[in-house]
Every structure is written in structure tokens, then in C-alpha cells.
Amino acid sequence: MDELKKITGEPFIYFITGLILAFITVAFSDDIADKIQRLYVPLILIDVSLYLMGANKIRMNGVGKNTITAIIAAIVGVAALTLAYGLVNSVFRAPVEGAIASESVFQSVYQTMQSQLDLKFENLPIFYWLVFGFLIPIVETRLFFGRFLDFGSRVFGISLSSLNGSFIALSTISAAVFAYFHLKVRGIDNNVDLVMTFIFGFVSCLYVYYSQRGEQKEIESATWFHIFWNSAAILLGR
């Protein structure tokens, strides 16, 4: 168990994310690599800073025997959010000239991803998934739903294992920051997707609450939730 903790601990996770970023720098075009680095290197630096400032209570990895449970919980969350998105999308999204009014959630998310980097998914599917289906979910989940909640709980004395008004307020702020990041940086440009991004963030915070009630004290289920969501967008949103 000690060895498992070492290879799945914070230094190793930082090493893996840094290695992927280095690979992107070498393998992708200068323009694409620059965009990814400008977006996510600052997030990783903020992550490290908050960790060094004491936001290290929540483990980023699952070292217990809860991985299967976390995966199942994440799959249920993706299914529920997909149904909710489909309902909201069919009711509120107005058709616009040149757009597919009946586009699914995964088409919407995928097209936003693709437009950000001008990278053809058909040409480099594994590399595309490595960025959007693996690296980005890990970096964003660790910061927005791990470090932010951890740091906020310490500063304001909020329990992450109690579903009370303080936790809901902290989760709302975290989800709002997550949505604002996608509005200003990732390029979401319609109210429906923005609202659903906020809901996605809030549900991720609920996953953290769920894990804090037990012995895990980690965000494995929230991380799987993000990985599955982005992976589904890549695989089904073409």
C-alpha cells in the first residue's frame, strides 16, 4: 500500500501532467502547443501553490478499494447529466442560421473542443483524447473541485462532509468559477451550454462531498466523471 501511495501521490501526478505537456510541445504544432500551455500551465501552477499553502487534505487519487464504486458513480452521473442536457437543449436552444438545432450535448462539447485548437480528431484520435479526454479533466478537476474546495473549507471553516448551506455556497462559487473559465477561456458562447457547465461543476462538488463522508477523502469519482464526460464528447460528438 505504501508503494501504491508513492506512485499515485502528488509528485507522480504532477510528473505525469508535466510529461504530457512536454509531449504536446514536441508532437503538436507550435500554435496548438502554445494555446494548451497558455490555458493549463497557469492552472497547474495555481494548483501547486494552493497545495503548498495547505490545501492538501483531499487526495487526488484513490488508494483504497473504492475505484469500482467511483467509476460506477461517475457513469451514473454522466448518464443523468446527458438526459438533463437533452431536455434543456430541446426546450431552450433556439436554432440559428448555419447551426444544427438538434445537436446533442456531445456534438456541442466536441465542436467547441475542436474549434479551440483547429485539430482534426480523425487524424490523431489518441493524441486528441490524451489532451481533452485525460489531461484536461485531471487538471481542471484537481484545481476547481479539489484545491478550491479544500482551500475554501480551510479558510472559512466549512465542513466538506456536511451538505449544509455553507458547503452549497462554496460549491456554487467553485462551479461558477469553473463556468466562468469555460466562458472566457474555453469559448462557450451560448447560455444553455454555460448553464450546463455550471451544473456539471456543481455535480462534481457533490462527488467531493460524497467521498468526504467516507474514508477515501479524495476526488476519484469526480475525476472519472470528468474523464468519461469529455471522452464521450470526443467519441460520440463527431
Side-chain angles (χ1 to χ4, degrees):
M1 183 63 69
D2 290 338
E3 291 301 317
L4 181 61
K5 289 182 178 180
K6 288 180 181 179
I7 65 173
T8 58
E10 296 302 316
F12 183 77
I13 295 174
Y14 287 133
F15 172 75
I16 289 297
T17 53
L19 191 64
I20 295 175
L21 283 172
F23 171 77
I24 291 171
T25 301
V26 174
F28 287 12
S29 68
D30 292 341
D31 181 56
I32 294 173
D34 180 65
K35 287 180 180 179
I36 295 174
Q37 290 168 352
R38 283 191 291 107
L39 289 179
Y40 289 97
V41 169
L43 295 191
I44 294 174
L45 293 178
I46 295 173
D47 179 339
V48 174
S49 298
L50 292 177
Y51 177 76
L52 295 176
M53 292 170 62
N56 51 27
K57 176 183 177 182
I58 302 176
R59 293 200 301 264
M60 300 298 113
N61 56 296
V63 297
K65 298 180 179 180
N66 68 308
T67 296
I68 299 299
T69 302
I71 290 176
I72 293 174
I75 292 174
V76 171
V78 169
L81 192 63
T82 300
L83 292 175
Y85 191 105
L87 177 62
V88 173
N89 192 41
S90 63
V91 173
F92 294 105
R93 186 186 296 276
V96 295
E97 183 178 355
I100 303 175
S102 61
E103 67 181 5
S104 70
V105 53
F106 298 119
Q107 287 173 323
S108 176
V109 173
Y110 172 78
Q111 289 162 4
T112 299
M113 291 176 176
Q114 194 175 48
S115 64
Q116 277 288 306
L117 298 182
D118 295 326
L119 179 64
K120 297 300 182 181
F121 171 67
E122 293 81 3
N123 294 338
L124 299 171
I126 186 62
F127 297 150
Y128 194 91
W129 177 84
L130 186 66
V131 175
F132 285 109
F134 185 76
L135 175 66
I136 286 176
I138 289 177
V139 172
E140 291 184 354
T141 302
R142 283 164 61 85
L143 178 60
F144 293 111
F145 313 122
R147 300 296 181 220
F148 279 5
L149 289 182
D150 197 342
F151 185 75
S153 69
R154 290 175 178 272
V155 172
F156 299 106
I158 298 173
S159 173
L160 297 180
S161 59
S162 299
L163 192 61
N164 52 31
S166 297
F167 175 81
I168 292 175
L170 181 60
S171 298
T172 300
I173 294 172
S174 177
V177 172
F178 178 70
Y180 183 79
F181 170 78
H182 284 72
L183 170 67
K184 292 297 184 180
V185 179
R186 289 286 300 277
I188 289 181
D189 58 359
N190 66 80
N191 291 336
V192 173
D193 288 345
L194 188 61
V195 169
M196 294 308 299
T197 300
F198 172 83
I199 294 175
F200 177 92
F202 193 85
V203 171
S204 296
C205 294
L206 293 179
Y207 275 120
V208 175
Y209 156 75
Y210 170 77
S211 74
Q212 296 306 296
R213 295 179 60 195
E215 299 178 354
Q216 292 82 24
K217 309 300 182 187
E218 43 76 44
I219 58 170
E220 184 175 7
S221 54
T223 303
W224 283 117
F225 178 53
H226 206 152
I227 288 175
F228 289 158
W229 182 262
N230 280 24
S231 296
I234 293 171
L235 294 174
L236 304 177
R238 301 174 58 183

